[in-house]
Amino acid sequence: MPAITFGTRARPCPSDEQLLLAHEHESREMERYRGLALSFLPTQPHVSRLMAALGIECEQRSAALEALAEQLKLRQYLPAAPSRHPTQPGAGQLHLFITDDAMAFLTLSHALAVADYSRRFSELMVRYCQLPALDALLAQFIERKRTACHLLEEAQASAYAAPARA
């Protein structure tokens, strides 16, 4: 499928856009987990380590997508690596530290909901994927995301009882 040209820049074909979309999703996930790792660090270091590990997995998935883009000669469609320091929050991001069990429970509940959304997003990407190599990679991602959801469920169940209602 030929690229459509607007002015001097070519628009990637839909397969290229799928690769870009998957890469952007993993990059956002990585930043989210890094922020959560920082948030849990002062009071729940074991949860902080889990979030950091999940962030590293996202980073590895992003690297796998970059390697695939390189292999398919599509690297020009992926964004350049960010120039900011990896521990600095991005523009508009604010890290709040977890101060009590109720806040931790709610934050873990939200993290689990977003992780489940991420898994469903990847499943949807596989359903409409037009690149066989990307399809195979996304299938691997889905399994790791299922495991992440399970780990977050365990962290929530073992570390925190549901906060008492006032």
Side-chain angles (χ1 to χ4, degrees):
M1 180 174 185
I4 302 169
T5 303
F6 295 106
T8 60
R9 184 163 180 163
R11 182 178 176 271
C13 71
S15 297
D16 302 341
E17 289 175 358
Q18 289 175 335
L19 185 61
L20 175 63
L21 189 58
H23 185 269
E24 287 178 346
H25 179 76
E26 290 302 325
S27 295
R28 283 191 309 272
E29 286 290 285
M30 178 184 65
E31 291 298 323
R32 187 176 63 79
Y33 280 121
R34 285 179 176 175
L36 287 169
L38 181 60
S39 294
F40 279 99
L41 187 59
T43 58
Q44 306 292 330
H46 63 288
V47 177
S48 177
R49 286 189 297 275
L50 171 61
M51 297 301 178
L54 294 174
I56 289 169
E57 284 189 9
C58 293
E59 186 175 17
Q60 291 169 343
R61 288 192 291 264
S62 288
L65 289 165
E66 289 167 7
L68 177 60
E70 194 73 38
Q71 176 187 356
L72 297 173
K73 309 270 191 271
L74 300 173
R75 184 65 177 102
Q76 73 272 16
Y77 295 116
L78 297 184
S83 60
R84 66 178 185 77
H85 190 273
T87 59
Q88 284 181 317
Q93 286 184 327
L94 176 65
H95 294 292
L96 301 174
F97 291 112
I98 304 301
T99 57
D100 57 37
D101 285 350
M103 189 177 186
F105 180 83
L106 291 173
T107 303
L108 277 170
S109 294
H110 183 262
L112 178 57
V114 175
D116 186 59
Y117 165 81
S118 180
R119 177 195 51 81
R120 289 182 287 123
F121 173 83
S122 294
E123 290 171 347
L124 189 61
M125 288 287 293
V126 165
R127 182 178 295 162
Y128 296 103
C129 188
Q130 297 178 13
L131 288 170
L134 178 59
D135 182 60
L137 202 52
L138 289 171
Q140 293 172 9
F141 292 2
I142 291 167
E143 286 307 310
R144 295 302 305 152
K145 289 172 187 263
R146 283 188 183 126
T147 301
C149 288
H150 181 70
L151 291 171
L152 289 168
E153 286 171 347
E154 285 181 355
Q156 186 180 35
S158 67
Y160 310 103
R165 299 200 186 254

